Amino acid sequence: MFRNIAFGGLLLLTAAAAAAQMPRSPVGGIGSPPDAMIFYLAHGAPGACGPGCSDWIAAEGTVQWDTHKRLFNILDRQAGRKLPLIIHVWGESNLNVATSLGRILRDRGIDTTAGTTEVEACKGKPDADCFAMKRSGGPLEAKVKSPDAPCDLTCVLMLAGGVHRSLPPGTRVVLSGMFLHNRMAPNVSQKARDTLPDRFGEQFRKYLRDMGVETELLDIVDRQAESKRSVEMPPSEWTRLHIITP
């Protein structure tokens, strides 16, 4: 499950990430960056998160090297309940960890979608107070709205781990290329730049095959890296590439 994490700190990051939210305090311990993804329980009206669904896990922030720990923690506290995960990603994220999150979700039998969780108690509160409430883990009264940021490659890789996968109307799936970065040393050698993309690419392709998603998705990402542009995927492509399930 963790083979995609242990590469001496090397990260693959999205080249053109979704717009970052308001900076927050570091989530984890030493070395944990601001905006790292948090998970908390949310509760809404009947049908708030889909037919027959009123409780969900909100995933919010940037996927970082230690994000998998917090996902394990919240899933372990559910006493076997398989609550859906609603993904809200922003910022430049660690794609290796994103695939590990997907494998965790598939192993636990979790459904996935994307969306923005709006916590009722956050209305009129400073961002710091709202963040502190979410850090408590919930449950918090909330509602779900369409994502206010595109579902980027990080989002898609996490989404792929869901047993059942969906994207609400109004979602924008925007894919860009990837680039190498080492959080322990900012300068990545030319040798690594020449050899590691193919190595990571094969791992991502295996991950997509295991999750039932067409590996053509990575071909599209590779083309965007060459052109240094982003492409928006229409809903018809979500179905064709099996990004979402029937």
Side-chain angles (χ1 to χ4, degrees):
M1 182 178 295
F2 297 107
R3 60 181 175 272
N4 291 327
I5 295 176
F7 284 99
L10 273 171
L11 313 183
L12 270 174
L13 302 179
T14 52
Q21 307 292 304
M22 184 68 68
R24 307 181 307 198
S25 301
V27 173
I30 296 174
S32 181
D35 292 338
M37 180 169 280
I38 59 173
F39 301 90
Y40 58 93
L41 296 181
H43 173 79
C49 46
C53 177
S54 58
D55 295 281
W56 66 95
I57 298 172
E60 181 179 288
T62 303
V63 174
Q64 297 290 351
W65 62 274
D66 58 350
T67 299
H68 64 285
K69 299 177 183 178
R70 290 185 289 279
L71 179 58
F72 269 131
N73 286 340
I74 197 163
L75 293 177
D76 288 345
R77 295 199 302 268
Q78 302 316 305
R81 289 196 304 167
K82 298 182 185 298
L83 299 180
L85 186 83
I86 298 184
I87 303 164
H88 183 197
V89 170
W90 64 73
E92 293 179 345
S93 288
N94 184 319
L95 301 183
N96 301 320
V97 178
T99 62
S100 294
L101 299 178
R103 289 192 182 279
I104 294 168
L105 294 170
R106 181 62 60 89
D107 184 62
R108 298 295 183 96
I110 304 298
D111 294 342
T112 54
T113 187
T116 301
T117 297
E118 292 190 333
V119 174
E120 297 294 334
C122 285
K123 292 180 178 178
K125 295 260 191 338
D127 290 334
D129 292 349
C130 179
F131 180 57
M133 284 189 289
K134 293 174 179 179
R135 282 291 310 277
S136 71
L140 299 171
E141 292 295 323
K143 61 183 179 180
V144 181
K145 70 172 189 176
S146 296
D148 58 12
C151 184
D152 62 7
L153 181 57
T154 307
C155 169
V156 170
L157 291 175
M158 286 184 64
L159 184 81
V163 177
H164 301 100
R165 307 182 292 273
S166 62
L167 289 170
T171 302
R172 296 178 61 225
V173 176
V174 179
L175 300 180
S176 62
M178 302 178 286
F179 65 87
L180 285 167
H181 175 71
N182 188 324
R183 69 182 180 87
M184 304 302 292
N187 296 320
V188 179
S189 70
Q190 188 59 51
K191 180 179 179 181
R193 293 183 186 279
D194 291 340
T195 61
L196 285 177
D198 288 343
R199 180 178 177 184
F200 282 122
E202 285 307 309
Q203 291 177 354
F204 289 157
R205 289 176 191 279
K206 183 180 188 310
Y207 169 75
L208 292 176
R209 286 193 294 269
D210 290 347
M211 298 300 109
V213 178
E214 294 294 330
T215 59
E216 184 185 338
L217 179 74
L218 266 295
D219 297 331
I220 296 169
V221 170
D222 289 343
R223 288 197 295 271
Q224 303 323 303
E226 293 172 1
S227 66
K228 297 182 180 180
R229 301 176 64 182
S230 299
V231 62
E232 183 167 349
M233 308 294 291
S236 59
E237 290 293 272
W238 308 349
T239 302
R240 185 181 72 81
L241 297 175
H242 300 153
I243 294 172
I244 60 174
T245 53

